[in-house]
């Protein structure tokens, strides 16, 4: 039988090994990484060296254990700078905590603070009770929000003799995670993206409200894709039936007013704002404190509506350097109407949806759109899954970020392109 072709020839990885009983499994992981063509530098914590001798790794890799006095100068800076990814396996509760808190009292923890520009993968291993502890879970959540990939430990027999969730995942799981982050790229690392999604509800009385058909799927897809591409993401969501995405902060809101507060409150934090929510344009001027009775309204019910504040416009007026993306839901003159909104709301990019179509849009898993940008560029995105469209919208954001003059929308004379759904 011939040897399989290495999948990742030319890639470089730092493998951090912490002091867990599972440290010996890192030797097998190292072997698997090397077999796939990856050049690996191993970093061990002091306690890891008590479980496995550095010499065991040195057969296959350079090994560093010391912040000071090693062979390489300033290894905590040099190693992550040269690497295409940093893997910590096994990652202990202590190491997760140190990284979440930003402590840097040894080589491994200092190195992790310098690994922010590339994919960072943690494969924790510990006792089940430790893994389930709220402090550990809090740190895991914090790291995920910052873009780290955490490979949840598996359930099985633990060193304590008990059955629980705490076993280090297999090398194949770590290799698959590497493949995923390298395929997707990590181009949004360092970005803080504020995304709104879903409808708002405006109360008529304690049991009735005005709302719209938005499912939230498009905004959620953008938030999740941005997270996967390395961004920190906050999702401000109106009421939807969707599960809260993992690894990012979701802020639940109900009314347009709540959404306005949630978005403005986080605007200074953000580098990009994507307003995918379908905010109600009107709300009842007065919401009845008691349920409206049919008998009392038998002549018909008149609702007196007042406009809600335009959240996107408010964000646009207060923003400083943030790149701003809006949506336009139109049933006619799609491009002309969207162009008018792009200019009136002073946006960098607008995603124009034809909401009269029944095969895409509201409630559907698919969407079709035209992207109009501030420099006049037009991209037609034919019918495709919302998850794919999310990636295309993020691609457009990346393109705009590398262009000069971030805010002024200009004449509608630019390039036109067409992309098919994949
Ligand atoms: N939007 C908003 N606040 C509102 C209404 C809309 O922030 N009260 C935002 C939406 O999130 C979207 C953009 O404005 O990003 C365009 O929404 P759309 O409903 O298409 O347009 P409107 O501005 O409401 O104008 P019209 O309803 O007249 O088309």
């Amino acid at each position: 039988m011939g040897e399989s072709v290495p999948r990742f020839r030319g890639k470089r990885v730092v493998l951090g090994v912490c002091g867990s009983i599972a440290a010996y499994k890192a030797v097998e992981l190292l072997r698997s990484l090397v077999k796939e063509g990856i050049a690996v530098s191993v970093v061990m914590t002091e306690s890891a060296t008590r479980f496995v001798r550095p010499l065991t790794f040195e057969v296959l890799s350079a090994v560093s254990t010391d912040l000071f006095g090693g062979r390489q100068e300033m290894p905590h800076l040099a190693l992550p700078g040269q690497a295409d990814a940093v893997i910590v396996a096994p990652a202990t509760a202590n190491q997760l905590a140190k990284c979440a808190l930003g402590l840097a009292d040894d080589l491994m923890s200092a190195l992790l603070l310098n690994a922010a520009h590339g994919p960072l993968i943690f494969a924790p291993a510990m006792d089940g009770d430790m893994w389930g502890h709220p402090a550990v879970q809090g740190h895991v959540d914090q790291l995920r929000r910052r873009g780290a990939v955490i490979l949840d430990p598996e359930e099985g027999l633990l060193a304590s003799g008990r059955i629980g969730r705490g076993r280090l995942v297999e090398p194949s799981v770590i290799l698959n995670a590497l493949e995923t982050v390298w395929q997707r790229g990590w181009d949004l690392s360092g970005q803080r993206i504020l995304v709104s999604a879903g409808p708002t509800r405006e109360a008529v009385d304690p049991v009735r409200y005005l709302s719209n058909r938005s499912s939230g799927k498009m905004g959620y897809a953008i938030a999740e894709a941005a997270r996967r591409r390395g961004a920190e993401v906050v999702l401000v969501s109106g009421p939807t039936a969707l599960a809260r995405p993992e690894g990012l902060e979701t802020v639940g809101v109900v009314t347009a007013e709540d959404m306005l507060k949630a978005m403005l409150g986080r605007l200074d934090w953000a580098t990009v704002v994507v307003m995918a929510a379908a905010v109600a344009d009107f709300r009842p001027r007065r919401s009845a404190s008691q349920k409206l009775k049919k008998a009392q309204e038998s002549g018909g019910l008149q609702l007196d509506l007042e406009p809600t504040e335009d959240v996107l416009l408010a964000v646009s007026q207060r923003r400083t350097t943030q790149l701003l993306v809006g949506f336009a839901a139109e049933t006619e003159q799609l491009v002309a109407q969207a162009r008018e909104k792009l200019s009136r709301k002073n946006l960098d990019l607008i995603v124009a949806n034809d909401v009269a179509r029944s095969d895409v849009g509201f409630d559907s898993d698919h969407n079709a759109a035209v992207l109009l940008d501030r420099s006049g560029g037009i991209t037609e995105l034919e019918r495709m899954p919302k998850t794919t469209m999310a990636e295309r919208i993020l691609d457009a954001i990346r393109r705009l970020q590398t262009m000069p003059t971030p805010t002024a929308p200009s004449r509608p004379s630019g390039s036109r392109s067409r992309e098919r759904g994949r």
Side-chain angles (χ1 to χ4, degrees):
M1 261 193 355
E3 286 279 292
S4 61
V5 182
R7 272 189 286 175
F8 305 124
R9 196 185 289 284
K11 291 282 191 193
R12 287 171 304 182
V13 156
V14 171
L15 170 60
V17 184
C18 302
S20 151
I21 189 74
Y24 74 92
K25 294 186 180 171
V27 180
E28 192 197 335
L29 173 62
L30 172 61
R31 207 185 312 277
S32 309
L33 294 169
V34 170
K35 206 170 151 202
E36 294 292 358
I38 300 172
V40 186
S41 302
V42 171
V43 171
M44 300 177 76
T45 62
E46 160 78 33
S47 43
T49 62
R50 299 194 184 199
F51 286 94
V52 188
R53 304 280 303 276
L55 194 60
T56 318
F57 292 99
E58 273 169 10
V59 178
L60 288 168
S61 153
V63 180
S64 313
T65 53
D66 197 357
L67 188 53
F68 312 98
R71 264 179 298 170
Q72 190 170 24
E73 246 181 83
M74 294 200 279
H76 65 299
L77 301 180
L79 286 171
Q82 295 158 0
D84 297 298
V86 174
I87 303 168
V88 184
T92 52
N94 185 50
Q95 200 60 53
L96 294 168
K98 283 168 75 169
C99 190
L101 297 171
L103 302 185
D105 62 351
D106 62 2
L107 174 57
M108 174 89 78
S109 51
L111 179 148
L112 292 178
L113 291 191
N114 284 298
H117 59 274
L120 178 54
I121 300 175
F122 288 94
M126 64 194 75
D127 191 64
D129 287 348
M130 288 175 79
W131 173 248
H133 193 285
V136 174
Q137 286 303 309
H139 292 139
V140 164
D141 202 41
Q142 226 172 321
L143 292 169
R144 278 199 170 121
R145 259 189 249 150
R146 280 194 227 138
V149 175
I150 317 272
L151 303 172
D152 286 359
E154 283 166 3
E155 202 157 321
L157 185 63
L158 303 174
S160 60
R162 292 183 292 181
I163 304 283
R165 183 170 292 281
R167 285 174 67 86
L168 184 70
V169 292
E170 294 298 318
S172 61
V173 176
I174 295 170
L175 281 165
N176 287 344
L178 267 183
E179 180 161 38
T180 312
V181 295
W182 282 336
Q183 264 175 6
R184 277 195 210 113
W186 205 249
D187 59 339
L188 296 177
S189 166
Q191 301 278 342
R192 294 182 299 276
I193 306 195
L194 179 60
V195 183
S196 73
T200 66
R201 284 181 186 167
E202 313 300 329
V204 174
D205 69 13
V207 297
R208 304 181 180 94
Y209 54 79
L210 299 179
S211 191
N212 58 63
R213 290 175 51 210
S214 167
S215 64
K217 285 176 185 168
M218 193 65 243
Y220 275 56
I222 293 170
E224 291 185 283
R227 240 292 284 123
R228 283 195 304 266
R229 284 164 70 159
E232 247 183 280
V233 179
V234 174
L235 173 64
V236 175
S237 173
T240 72
L242 304 174
R244 285 185 167 223
E246 270 208 11
L248 53 92
E249 187 189 350
T250 305
V251 181
V253 297
V254 177
T255 64
E257 203 179 344
D258 296 341
M259 188 165 276
L260 178 71
K261 276 195 203 130
M263 296 298 284
L264 291 184
R266 286 161 182 82
L267 181 57
D268 286 347
W269 165 86
T271 55
V272 176
V273 180
V274 181
M275 192 70 204
V279 188
D281 287 323
F282 294 95
R283 66 173 158 239
R285 200 175 292 278
R286 240 166 263 103
S287 139
S289 57
Q290 304 296 331
K291 186 183 171 200
L292 296 173
K293 301 304 281 181
K294 209 163 35 191
Q296 283 161 13
E297 315 289 346
S298 54
L301 177 62
Q302 298 282 336
L303 283 180
D304 183 13
L305 302 178
E306 64 180 4
T308 58
E309 188 157 0
D310 190 312
V311 180
L312 183 56
L313 193 60
V315 166
S316 173
Q317 285 161 349
R318 286 168 184 74
R319 72 163 157 158
T320 49
T321 52
Q322 294 83 357
L323 190 135
L324 187 52
V325 182
F327 275 65
E330 309 294 347
T331 53
E332 54 182 0
Q333 295 183 301
L334 182 66
V335 171
Q337 301 271 13
R339 188 170 283 145
E340 186 276 326
K341 277 177 198 167
L342 177 81
S343 148
R344 178 163 48 84
K345 300 193 188 188
N346 190 21
L347 310 176
D348 297 298
L349 180 71
I350 195 157
V351 182
N353 296 296
D354 181 349
V355 286
R357 282 174 66 167
S358 58
D359 60 333
V360 292
F362 286 132
D363 245 342
S364 163
D365 288 331
H366 290 78
N367 210 358
V370 181
L371 304 186
L372 306 176
D373 70 43
R374 62 168 188 253
S375 59
I378 299 184
T379 308
E380 279 179 39
L381 301 178
E382 295 183 352
R383 186 177 186 275
M384 63 179 80
K386 284 182 176 172
T387 46
T388 312
M389 182 164 293
E391 303 284 356
R392 298 286 87 77
I393 293 168
L394 293 172
D395 293 344
I397 290 172
R398 282 304 291 148
R399 272 199 302 276
L400 283 168
Q401 281 183 320
T402 54
M403 281 166 61
T405 49
T407 49
S410 67
R411 273 139 297 280
S413 55
S415 58
R416 193 174 181 111
S417 63
R418 176 177 289 248
E419 289 186 25
R420 281 181 194 285
R422 279 191 263 167

